[in-house]
Amino acid sequence: MLVLAALLSAPVGAGAEEELTPEVAEYPAENYEPGPGWPEGWTPPPPPEGMSERMRAEVEQILREHPDLYDRYDWWVWDPLPSWTNEYPWFWREDKMGCGTTLHVYAYPVPDTQLITREFGRSFGWSRLYWKPCRYEPIQSITETRELSEEEKLAEGRRAEYLYWVDKSHPGLGRDDGSESNGNPDYIYIYLNQGDAAKRFDVPAYLDTTVNRVRVPIRFVSEMMGAEVSWDPDGRRVTINFPAITREVPKVVPAPGFDYPDLFDPEEYLPNGHRFAFEERTVSTPERTIILTIDHPVALVDGREVPLDAPPVIRNDRTMVPVRFIAEQMGAKVYWVGAEPIFRLDDGTMSGTYQVHIFTPFFPLYEYPSWYLENRAVRY
């Protein structure tokens, strides 16, 4: 049963809304590997009688700076202790979280991994979620570290090499899968080969809800997609020229017994290093010239007329072009993420909305670039 050790602020006044009660998080016993026991002569530390001076100063500063969010704080010491404390030496640590208008400060036990290594010659690691509202968070898991086998080392090496080639496929852009980015129709996140392109825009990409298509500033096409762009102000025409490119690209190919959908475990960002190998392949994209006229629903692609479902427009003094059409002309794959989030975060919540993901043939896993996108996004 949850018992508050002390209430350090004034009580709720008459007529105030009922204060929310935090929950105490619990995790299954299998999250905690058997420990080495207590060292000889070690005794559990007594519960702290109150928060540290450092924590008190932090809390009082928050109350001063955010009176619109919190009007009080309280203190709690974890009780009863988790069962894993019977198998590991441990110490107390402090944390805080908000729930309603109260800032809850609490002490919780943490395994003393340095003492364990010193006394037993064994190494353990632990994990914990932080700052989840209305939730007292304990240590989430404890595992013993061990030497990787040769096969595991090779698998980890392949995953590291994969990330290297991902970064090479979007030079100048920071790596980002979009898992923590939530946009809206007036601000669409654009990712090129898992590189964050939107942060380089001088005006945001947006969703034209009349045709349900996303437009991006023409600068994206010229600076990040490698095209030469010219503007004819009299004819209100944009000419986009993609040069022919031939490049040797290390490609991810499934190991024997696996196919591309097998490469990702569910909810995983990286492919499983045990299930793929790299194969050098020659990738070529042809020269292509695209002419777009502002507000005109037909494009010229290498002199051939192609209808557009989203013609280019002028918006906020910037030329905005249909991203899917342009990307597909250079052989890219395009995925759309709308209002429904597709990424599951570590705390179980869903995130990632209003995004466009573009993958060119030079991406190392063009055939199946992401478990999240292939299973939850819309493939144009």
Side-chain angles (χ1 to χ4, degrees), residues 19-341:
E19 186 69 14
L20 299 173
T21 301
E23 64 172 316
V24 180
E26 295 184 6
Y27 296 98
E30 54 265 28
N31 280 23
Y32 310 93
E33 293 187 1
W38 294 352
E40 184 177 353
W42 183 87
T43 57
E49 296 181 358
M51 70 182 75
S52 66
E53 290 303 315
R54 178 192 58 80
M55 178 61 76
R56 186 185 298 275
E58 289 182 13
V59 169
E60 291 177 349
Q61 180 180 358
I62 292 173
L63 292 179
R64 286 195 308 270
E65 296 179 354
H66 301 281
D68 55 324
L69 298 179
Y70 305 112
D71 58 14
R72 71 196 71 210
Y73 62 90
D74 62 24
W75 166 254
W76 179 61
V77 178
W78 206 280
D79 182 48
L81 290 171
S83 59
W84 63 260
T85 56
N86 295 318
E87 301 184 32
Y88 295 85
W90 50 274
F91 59 90
W92 291 105
R93 181 171 287 179
E94 297 171 308
D95 201 359
K96 56 186 177 294
M97 56 84 182
C99 188
T101 59
T102 300
L103 197 60
H104 296 270
V105 188
Y106 60 101
Y108 63 97
V110 177
D112 193 336
T113 55
Q114 292 186 9
L115 177 61
I116 292 170
T117 300
R118 188 168 62 248
E119 295 292 327
F120 299 102
R122 298 168 63 183
S123 297
F124 287 82
W126 54 268
S127 66
R128 180 175 178 267
L129 299 177
Y130 288 88
W131 198 255
K132 186 175 177 62
C134 289
R135 184 177 168 105
Y136 292 111
E137 278 290 343
I139 297 300
Q140 184 182 28
S141 67
I142 307 175
T143 56
E144 184 168 9
T145 58
R146 58 183 177 81
E147 181 73 16
L148 296 177
S149 68
E150 288 303 314
E151 182 179 351
E152 289 171 327
K153 290 178 182 178
L154 290 173
E156 287 300 307
R158 280 189 286 269
R159 284 160 61 98
E161 185 177 357
Y162 170 76
L163 288 176
Y164 172 80
W165 292 116
V166 167
D167 291 343
K168 293 283 282 186
S169 72
H170 60 239
L173 302 180
R175 188 195 313 151
D176 193 339
D177 65 345
S179 59
E180 298 185 8
S181 297
N182 295 281
N184 58 67
D186 291 320
Y187 192 104
I188 306 296
Y189 284 90
I190 306 294
Y191 298 97
L192 177 63
N193 289 342
Q194 289 190 342
D196 184 359
K199 67 182 180 183
R200 301 274 295 274
F201 294 175
D202 53 358
V203 294
Y206 73 98
L207 174 66
D208 185 340
T209 55
T210 62
V211 291
N212 202 32
R213 289 293 181 264
V214 173
R215 293 190 179 92
V216 296
I218 192 66
R219 178 179 173 185
F220 168 65
V221 178
S222 61
E223 291 190 357
M224 300 177 212
M225 299 182 77
E228 295 180 359
V229 177
S230 61
W231 167 248
D232 174 9
D234 296 329
R236 289 166 54 87
R237 285 190 298 268
V238 176
T239 300
I240 303 168
N241 178 255
F242 287 105
I245 299 175
T246 297
R247 190 182 302 163
E248 297 298 316
V249 179
K251 287 286 189 178
V252 167
V253 295
F258 297 101
D259 202 349
Y260 285 103
D262 305 320
L263 299 186
F264 286 87
D265 293 311
E267 309 290 349
E268 280 293 316
Y269 165 61
L270 294 176
N272 188 317
H274 296 276
R275 301 175 188 170
F276 73 87
F278 284 102
E279 183 178 286
E280 195 86 1
R281 291 185 178 175
T282 302
V283 176
S284 298
T285 55
E287 181 179 3
R288 182 142 294 163
T289 299
I290 304 167
I291 300 176
L292 302 170
T293 303
I294 300 300
D295 297 325
H296 187 57
V298 177
L300 285 177
V301 180
D302 294 337
R304 175 174 50 91
E305 289 191 348
V306 178
L308 293 171
D309 51 10
V313 299
I314 301 293
R315 176 181 165 104
N316 297 330
D317 296 324
R318 295 292 188 276
T319 301
M320 309 293 288
V321 296
V323 65
R324 186 193 78 168
F325 177 80
I326 300 297
E328 289 183 342
Q329 297 307 310
M330 60 176 294
K333 289 182 177 180
V334 185
Y335 297 81
W336 163 247
V337 180
E340 189 72 22

